[in-house]
Amino acid sequence: MLRSNLLVGLTLAVVTLPQAIAFSTTLAGLPPHFGIYAAIWGVLFTALLNPSRVFSGGPNTTMSAAIGVTLLPVAPPFGSDYIGVALTLILLAGLIQMLFLLIRPLGRMLDLINEPIINGLICGIGLFLIFKSLTGFAGLPTNTEVEWPLWIAWQSFMAVLEIGNLYAIQIGLITLITSVVVRQFGILRNWGILIGVAAGTAYSEYLNATIGLPNTMIEQIANLSSVGFVYPSLPLFTQETMSDIISILPGAVTLALLGLFQTVAAMRRMNRKIGAYTDSRKGIFADAVSNCVLPFLSSLPTCASFNRMWLVYRLGGDGRISSAISALILLGMVLFSAGLIAIIPMPAMAAVIMLLGANMINWEDIRPHLNDRRETIVFMASFLSVLFLDLFGAVIVGSVLAIAYSKWEQAHPSFSVRGNVLKIRGNIYYGSLPVIESVYHRVIEREGSVILDFSDCYYIDNEGIRWLAAAKAGHKAAFADRRKSDRRAGRRDSGNDKRSAPKRDRPDRRRRSEF
């Protein structure tokens, strides 16, 4: 068992390292050690705090992208002001997640987020990440303008064609093609990104050796020699930064909800795949506590990763043990191999983000939603909201759609009409009464009277009770007697077991009545 967990932990470490660096530098606009510490301490904290056998947390694509999008209007990336506000943003997100844990109705609302909404957001963010990585792929500076995302994508694409660094594009293409080809081989599938980054780095070193770094102008990851066991930090809460803190509050809500959405969705999916159950509140607890501590350790926020959870399950490892081992292995890699990590070119990191964004657009997850009109509308609305709005607007649209979707289902019960008998299956409450009354009056117009059968109703509120009373008082509606149907069912059941049932239903004279 320990040997299996060691292998899974090693695999997680080598898979997570290039992703964590790419998340930090390319998406969040933060130094690479933020992603590395998230892959160490974030993974370790969530492994210790969540009891699920398959749960695996760590740095996340969408949360890292949300940091970059939120902070671009505030300060230039990689600067001291930017880093300080980023730490504050992550801490605020952790505190908001703590509210979802402490206020139970808020946490319960996360269960209303259904798969069409989650998959729509994930696919939209995946396409957004591909657009965002175009400039880094071509060795150009990131577009920091706050504009319509699709317009920025078009500007970035035109800049790549006009002034893109051909050497950077070559490194990015080699990284991308190598990763895709390697992933076609089952035994190397989980190592595809690492091998692709290694190929891109080798080609970058070849170009620097033959042409020279001043000529290629390839940006590399900064030197990590100063990164140690821990890197303490403090979020900014000063009077001078209060206006910036107020401006990033919507981004903090977005960051918190994106993490919770993905944690709840990943746990829901894995529970179904492995046939087990772990309360999603335990995942919320692991996320909230971790994200309240990680800003003081110079780390990106953390949430559950479905890909890493599925990898742990497929390799037969224990999620908690394997994740802890991967964090320790990664810590050793950073302490003793910082020089090798420092020469990784940024176009290779951009290629990794593009590949991860493409993997988020999974046709197998999209296709089931296109078979139902309502799910198609919800999916497309969530998908397009990411591209036409900012991430905060997309989260709000997804949350509203989730509540509207559940209320729509509750407000439209199913009916069956046989003659003048109207059977209602669902809820009779203020939201469903307009639909019920329309069917009720159609039956009255056709039959002259109605027998209402609500034996399969789940819930009737006070307004529903008043409507039923008014319908019966109008002498046009009668209620089906459930007791008669139960008695007939009981007689059928008693006829099937003649030995155990008495022939006649006689009172037991051996016991004296209490009345």
Side-chain angles (χ1 to χ4, degrees):
M1 185 66 179
L2 180 59
R3 182 179 179 182
S4 174
N5 285 319
L6 283 172
L7 178 61
V8 177
L10 176 62
T11 305
L12 284 176
V14 297
V15 168
T16 305
L17 178 60
Q19 296 180 12
I21 296 174
F23 294 163
S24 183
T25 56
T26 306
L27 295 182
L30 292 167
H33 65 266
F34 274 76
I36 293 173
Y37 281 133
I40 296 173
W41 299 115
V43 169
L44 189 60
F45 289 161
T46 53
L48 296 176
L49 295 172
N50 194 298
S52 174
R53 183 180 177 275
V54 294
F55 186 86
S56 180
N60 178 264
T61 313
T62 54
M63 295 187 76
S64 302
I67 293 174
V69 172
T70 302
L71 297 184
L72 278 179
V74 177
F78 301 103
S80 58
D81 293 338
Y82 185 95
I83 293 174
V85 179
L87 294 171
T88 306
L89 174 67
I90 299 169
L91 178 59
L92 290 174
L95 295 175
I96 293 171
Q97 290 178 338
M98 191 65 72
L99 291 178
F100 277 83
L101 176 68
L102 298 177
I103 304 175
R104 193 174 185 87
L106 283 178
R108 182 69 180 87
M109 287 184 63
L110 294 173
D111 294 329
L112 299 178
I113 307 297
N114 56 8
E115 286 194 351
I117 295 169
I118 294 172
N119 289 334
L121 290 173
I122 289 175
C123 291
I125 291 171
L127 192 59
F128 172 81
L129 294 179
I130 295 175
F131 294 157
K132 184 176 175 61
S133 303
L134 286 174
T135 52
F137 188 84
L140 300 175
T142 302
N143 190 340
T144 59
E145 297 180 10
V146 184
E147 297 179 2
W148 184 32
L150 289 181
W151 177 244
I152 292 179
W154 174 253
Q155 290 180 323
S156 300
F157 179 72
M158 295 303 297
V160 169
L161 295 180
E162 294 176 3
I163 57 174
N165 186 337
L166 293 180
Y167 298 116
I169 294 175
Q170 292 173 16
I171 294 171
L173 286 175
I174 288 175
T175 304
L176 195 62
I177 294 172
T178 303
S179 299
V180 172
V181 171
V182 171
R183 285 171 62 87
Q184 306 308 311
F185 300 93
I187 193 172
L188 298 175
R189 180 175 179 82
N190 297 322
W191 301 72
I193 291 178
L194 181 66
I195 296 175
V197 171
T201 303
Y203 185 68
S204 173
E205 288 300 297
Y206 168 75
L207 291 177
N208 292 334
T210 55
I211 301 176
L213 184 60
N215 296 322
T216 60
M217 294 186 294
I218 302 298
E219 184 180 0
Q220 296 177 335
I221 292 178
N223 187 9
L224 300 178
S225 58
S226 60
V227 177
F229 182 76
V230 68
Y231 199 102
S233 56
L234 282 175
L236 286 180
F237 282 102
T238 62
Q239 186 175 358
E240 292 78 11
T241 59
M242 195 54 61
S243 59
D244 292 334
I245 293 173
I246 294 174
S247 67
I248 64 174
L249 279 176
V253 176
T254 303
L255 191 63
L257 290 178
L258 283 174
L260 294 180
F261 285 171
Q262 293 180 88
T263 293
V264 172
M267 294 187 68
R268 186 188 302 172
R269 286 186 182 182
M270 287 306 301
N271 284 335
R272 293 173 183 173
K273 284 184 177 294
I274 67 177
Y277 176 75
T278 302
D279 190 353
S280 60
R281 286 179 58 83
K282 296 177 180 177
I284 298 174
F285 170 76
D287 281 1
V289 174
S290 298
N291 291 330
C292 286
V293 176
L294 290 176
F296 298 93
L297 300 176
S298 301
S299 170
L300 292 177
T302 181
C303 74
S305 170
F306 179 76
N307 292 330
R308 287 194 291 269
M309 290 168 69
W310 178 245
L311 178 63
V312 171
Y313 171 70
R314 189 173 59 185
L315 296 179
D318 185 293
R320 304 180 74 185
I321 299 175
S322 300
S323 297
I325 291 174
S326 73
L328 296 176
I329 292 175
L330 193 55
L331 179 61
M333 293 171 62
V334 172
L335 293 177
F336 300 106
S337 304
L340 293 177
I341 298 174
I343 64 174
I344 298 177
M346 294 302 294
M349 294 291 95
V352 170
I353 295 299
M354 295 180 74
L355 181 62
L356 294 175
N359 290 339
M360 293 171 71
I361 307 173
N362 190 348
W363 174 246
E364 295 299 323
D365 293 334
I366 299 173
R367 184 170 55 186
H369 306 317
L370 304 181
N371 298 328
D372 181 86
R373 185 179 63 181
R374 294 178 185 174
E375 288 198 358
T376 301
I377 294 173
V378 173
F379 172 82
M380 292 303 300
S382 300
F383 174 74
L384 295 175
S385 64
V386 177
L387 303 179
F388 288 90
L389 306 172
D390 55 11
L391 288 179
F392 179 73
V395 169
I396 295 300
V397 169
S399 302
V400 171
L401 282 175
I403 298 174
Y405 187 89
S406 63
K407 287 298 181 183
W408 179 271
E409 293 293 329
Q410 295 174 9
H412 290 77
S414 60
F415 306 96
S416 62
V417 180
R418 294 184 179 180
N420 69 335
V421 178
L422 172 60
K423 187 166 186 176
I424 305 171
R425 297 182 178 87
N427 299 323
I428 301 178
Y429 77 114
Y430 68 92
S432 63
L433 279 177
V435 180
I436 296 173
E437 287 182 277
S438 65
V439 179
Y440 166 78
H441 286 288
R442 285 202 301 268
V443 177
I444 282 186
E445 291 176 1
R446 187 177 70 242
E447 302 292 340
S449 63
V450 176
I451 297 177
L452 291 173
D453 183 354
F454 48 90
S455 58
D456 287 346
C457 288
Y458 316 128
Y459 169 73
I460 305 177
D461 72 347
N462 291 331
E463 189 170 341
I465 293 173
R466 289 192 291 268
W467 177 77
L468 291 171
K472 188 172 183 180
H475 303 291
K476 291 185 178 181
F479 300 153
D481 192 344
R482 188 188 304 181
R483 294 172 297 177
K484 293 181 180 179
S485 61
D486 291 344
R487 191 179 298 120
R488 287 194 297 268
R491 288 175 180 174
R492 288 195 298 269
D493 293 340
S494 63
N496 294 333
D497 191 358
K498 296 181 180 180
R499 294 181 180 178
S500 61
K503 294 182 179 179
R504 289 181 295 178
D505 189 10
R506 294 179 179 179
D508 189 353
R509 299 181 183 274
R510 294 173 295 178
R511 295 183 180 178
R512 185 172 297 174
S513 173
E514 297 179 1
F515 302 98

